[in-house]
Amino acid sequence: MYNLSNFTGMYPVSKTLRFELIPVGKTLENINKNGVITKDTDLADSYRKMKKTLDSFHKAFIDDCMQTVKLCNLSEYNELYNASADEKATEAYKNKFDAVKQALRKEITKAFSEKKDVYSILFKKELIQKELESWINKNAPELYFDDAFKNFTTYFTGYNENRKNMYSEEEKSTAVAYRLINENLPRFIDNVSVFEKISGSGIVQQLQTAQTELADYILNGNLADMFALNAYELVLTQSGIDAYNTVIGGLKEGDRKIQGLNEYINLYNQKNPNTKLPKFKPLFKQILSDRVSASWLPESFESADDMLNAVNSFIEDAMSSNMFDNVVDAAASINLADANKVYISNDASVSSISMAISGHYGLIRDALDYYYENTICPDYTAKYSAAKSDSAREKIEKAKSDFVSGTKYHSAGTIESAMAVYLRTVDFELDPMLAKNANGILASYFSAEGSKKLSAIKECVESTKDLFNVKHEDGYKLSSKDTKQLKLLLDTV
C-alpha cells in the first residue's frame, strides 16, 4: 500500500469558492428590524460626503501654508534649467539639478510642518474628533459633517494613507511639492522666456490692452513683474494659479469675452505665419483642485444614459471650443519652441518615433549611443581601452547606458543633435534627406502626428454619434459593439 502523504502540499492551488449566504428563520427578520443593511448603506454614503469635506480641509490647509513659502533656490534652478544641451547630458549636471529640485521640494514641505498645530493631527483621530467641525463652523458651514465618525475614525485609515502622499517631498506625482517644482516651475520659466520674446514683438499694443482689461488678475501689478522669476511664489496657491491662467487664457464677463495673452498671440500668428510667436503654457492646478476640472465626470454614473450624456456633453464642448484643433496647433508650433525644453519620454515612445521617421526602430538609440561616445564623452573609446579591470569597464559602460537609456526623458534638442551627428557621419546612406533635415525632424513628426490624431478624433466622433441623444429604458446596458465603439472614442480623445 502506497503512502500518499509525501505528495501533500507539493503544488498549491488557488480556488475561488462562491457561496450565497441566505438568511433563514428569524435572521432576515432581525436584519430588517435592526436596519443593518440600511445602516451600512447610509454609513457608506456619509463616508463619501465626509471625504469631500476632508478634501476641502486639506485644500484650505495647503493654500494657507503656500502663502508663506519662500523659495531660496529659484535662481540656481533657473540657471540649471537654462543650461546648454551638452551640459545637461553630463552626470554632474543631473546630480546637481536633482539636488536643487529636492531642496526646492523641501522648502515647500517645510511650510506644512511649520503649521504644527494642524499638521501634527492631520492624519490622527483628533482631526475628526475636534479640529474639523470647529473649522467648518468658522470657515465653511455649508460643508457636511457626521458626528457618527467621531467614534469611528478608523473608517478613514485608507483615505489618510492616500492623502499623506500629498505632503511628501519625494518625486511623487500626487505630491504638492512635485506639482509645484517638477511640473509647474518649468512651465513658469518657459513663460518668462515667452514674455521676453513677445515684449518686443508686434503685439506691444495688445499687451497694453491686456494690462488694462485684466488688471484684477495680474499678479504683482503689471505683466512684466508677473512674468519674472521672483513672481513664482505668487502662484503656489490655487487662487494664484487661477489668476495666472486667466491672464494667459482670458475670461468671460457675461456676454463679453476678455481676451488673454494667448488669444492675442493666436491672432498675430494667423496674420504673420512667417514670424510666429510662441504661446504661454497654463500652469497645472494645485493638487486636489485639479479634480474640479473634470466636472463632467462624477464619482459614479447611475445609468448608461447618464454616462452617455456626460461623454456627449464633453465631446460637444470640446468640438465647439476647438479644443482638439488647439492641441494640434500646439503640436504644430513645437518648431517655435526651444528644442532643448521640449522633452520626450525615454521609453517605447522613442522606438515608435524612430520607426515613424526612419523605418528603423533603433535609429534614435543608435544615434544617442554614438553621440555619447563622440560628443558627450569624446574620449570614451580611449578610456574604455585603457581600463585595467572589468569593474572599470563596467563603470564606463554604465555611464553611457545611463545617458542613452537610464534617463526618464531626452530633450528634442539632444535627440536631433545626436541624429544629425550620427546620420551625417556614420549612416548617411540610410536616408540622405533625413540626414540633411535632422534638425527640426521631431517638430515635423509631431505636427504630422497631430493632424492624423485630429482626423482620427473627428472620425470616431462621427462614427459614434448614433450612440448619443437616444433615451433608453431603465436598466439599459450597452451592447458589446457599442461598448467597443465608445472605448475607441475615449481612447482616441
Side-chain angles (χ1 to χ4, degrees):
M1 188 173 188
Y2 296 102
N3 184 356
L4 300 179
S5 61
N6 292 332
F7 294 93
T8 303
M10 290 183 65
Y11 305 102
V13 177
S14 176
K15 291 184 179 291
T16 300
L17 303 178
R18 298 184 179 183
F19 300 102
E20 181 181 5
L21 297 177
I22 302 175
V24 296
K26 288 284 185 179
T27 304
L28 180 60
E29 181 182 332
N30 290 330
I31 286 175
N32 293 330
K33 181 179 178 181
N34 295 315
V36 174
I37 296 176
T38 302
K39 286 179 182 177
D40 284 347
T41 302
D42 290 345
L43 192 63
D45 183 57
S46 182
Y47 170 69
R48 284 192 290 271
K49 295 176 182 177
M50 280 288 286
K51 282 201 301 182
K52 292 181 179 178
T53 298
L54 283 165
D55 278 351
S56 295
F57 181 86
H58 280 287
K59 284 191 283 187
F61 175 67
I62 290 168
D63 195 70
D64 184 44
C65 292
M66 291 304 98
Q67 294 183 43
T68 61
V69 170
K70 296 297 178 186
L71 298 174
C72 301
N73 292 277
L74 272 182
S75 295
E76 186 176 4
Y77 178 97
N78 186 48
E79 290 178 12
L80 290 167
Y81 184 74
N82 289 301
S84 68
D86 288 346
E87 184 180 351
K88 287 181 177 180
T90 65
E91 192 67 27
Y93 169 86
K94 293 176 185 177
N95 292 336
K96 191 173 183 180
F97 196 34
D98 286 343
V100 172
K101 286 188 286 186
Q102 175 75 359
L104 284 166
R105 290 196 300 271
K106 284 184 177 180
E107 289 177 340
I108 295 292
T109 56
K110 180 183 177 184
F112 301 136
S113 58
E114 286 179 344
K115 303 275 186 182
K116 294 180 181 178
D117 53 335
V118 176
Y119 191 67
S120 61
I121 63 168
L122 206 52
F123 307 107
K124 296 180 179 179
K125 61 183 181 181
E126 287 79 11
L127 177 63
I128 292 175
Q129 292 177 341
K130 298 177 182 178
E131 181 67 24
L132 185 60
E133 189 172 16
S134 174
W135 176 80
I136 290 172
N137 293 334
K138 290 179 182 178
N139 301 284
E142 73 281 1
L143 291 178
Y144 178 83
F145 185 81
D146 188 347
D147 277 318
F149 284 109
K150 285 185 176 181
N151 298 315
F152 202 21
T153 58
T154 54
Y155 215 90
F156 295 92
T157 300
Y159 170 87
N160 286 335
E161 286 300 316
N162 184 279
R163 290 294 175 264
K164 279 181 184 178
N165 292 325
M166 297 192 307
Y167 298 91
S168 173
E169 67 183 40
E170 298 174 13
E171 286 192 303
K172 294 181 177 179
S173 60
T174 54
V176 171
Y178 183 90
R179 170 61 53 85
L180 295 175
I181 304 305
N182 291 62
E183 296 182 329
N184 274 356
L185 182 53
R187 286 177 163 247
F188 186 90
I189 292 177
D190 288 344
N191 287 345
V192 171
S193 298
V194 171
F195 187 78
E196 290 174 356
K197 291 176 182 177
I198 70 170
S199 294
S201 70
I203 63 167
V204 173
Q205 185 61 48
Q206 288 88 332
L207 293 180
Q208 293 174 357
T209 302
Q211 176 72 50
T212 302
E213 294 192 333
L214 296 167
D216 291 340
Y217 302 93
I218 296 175
L219 307 170
N220 261 354
N222 64 74
L223 288 172
D225 289 338
M226 178 177 171
F227 290 102
L229 183 63
N230 58 12
Y232 187 65
E233 292 172 353
L234 300 177
V235 294
L236 302 180
T237 63
Q238 185 55 48
S239 58
I241 292 171
D242 286 340
Y244 186 90
N245 286 345
T246 297
V247 172
I248 290 174
L251 75 155
K252 267 193 172 184
E253 285 188 349
D255 295 330
R256 178 172 175 252
K257 177 69 169 73
I258 298 177
Q259 290 181 318
L261 300 184
N262 273 350
E263 289 170 290
Y264 288 124
I265 293 171
N266 269 337
L267 292 172
Y268 177 87
N269 288 344
Q270 289 170 15
K271 296 177 181 178
N272 302 274
N274 296 324
T275 56
K276 284 187 175 182
L277 297 172
K279 296 179 186 177
F280 292 96
K281 302 173 184 176
L283 301 181
F284 295 113
K285 289 179 176 287
Q286 182 57 275
I287 296 295
L288 287 183
S289 297
D290 52 7
R291 295 183 164 212
V292 179
S293 62
S295 56
W296 67 277
L297 186 63
E299 288 192 6
S300 62
F301 292 107
E302 297 297 324
S303 67
D305 273 347
D306 286 347
M307 181 267 293
L308 289 171
N309 289 337
V311 173
N312 188 43
S313 177
F314 166 74
I315 296 295
E316 287 182 345
D317 288 346
M319 296 294 281
S320 63
S321 65
N322 294 319
M323 183 179 77
F324 300 131
D325 297 83
N326 290 338
V327 171
V328 173
D329 287 344
S333 300
I334 286 178
N335 63 314
L336 300 174
D338 182 348
N340 292 318
K341 295 179 181 177
V342 176
Y343 292 92
I344 298 168
S345 295
N346 189 18
D347 49 26
S349 305
V350 171
S351 298
S352 299
I353 294 171
S354 184
M355 184 65 181
I357 63 179
S358 71
H360 298 271
Y361 282 109
L363 174 65
I364 292 178
R365 296 207 183 278
D366 289 345
L368 289 168
D369 193 284
Y370 183 82
Y371 186 64
Y372 181 86
E373 292 184 7
N374 293 274
T375 302
I376 302 301
C377 185
D379 56 350
Y380 175 87
T381 303
K383 281 185 175 180
Y384 190 85
S385 299
K388 296 181 178 180
S389 64
D390 289 342
S391 61
R393 283 186 285 274
E394 286 173 3
K395 185 177 181 180
I396 294 170
E397 288 177 339
K398 185 179 184 303
K400 181 174 72 169
S401 176
D402 287 344
F403 170 76
V404 176
S405 307
T407 183
K408 291 182 180 179
Y409 306 95
H410 280 300
S411 73
T414 297
I415 291 176
E416 289 182 346
S417 296
M419 288 179 62
V421 172
Y422 179 71
L423 288 169
R424 292 168 188 169
T425 310
V426 178
D427 215 351
F428 182 83
E429 295 301 323
L430 176 69
D431 189 337
M433 287 302 296
L434 186 62
K436 184 178 179 181
N437 299 297
N439 291 329
I441 187 67
L442 294 182
S444 299
Y445 164 78
F446 285 118
S447 178
E449 284 298 302
S451 297
K452 285 195 291 185
K453 188 70 172 178
L454 181 60
S455 298
I457 289 173
K458 290 181 176 179
E459 185 179 323
C460 276
V461 170
E462 181 64 25
S463 66
T464 56
K465 64 182 181 181
D466 291 340
L467 281 176
F468 306 111
N469 300 317
V470 177
K471 182 65 178 175
H472 300 99
E473 296 180 0
D474 291 343
Y476 166 77
K477 292 184 179 180
L478 287 172
S479 67
S480 176
K481 177 184 176 182
D482 288 347
T483 300
K484 288 179 180 178
Q485 277 190 301
L486 186 62
K487 183 179 184 303
L488 178 61
L489 172 65
L490 295 176
D491 286 344
T492 303
V493 301

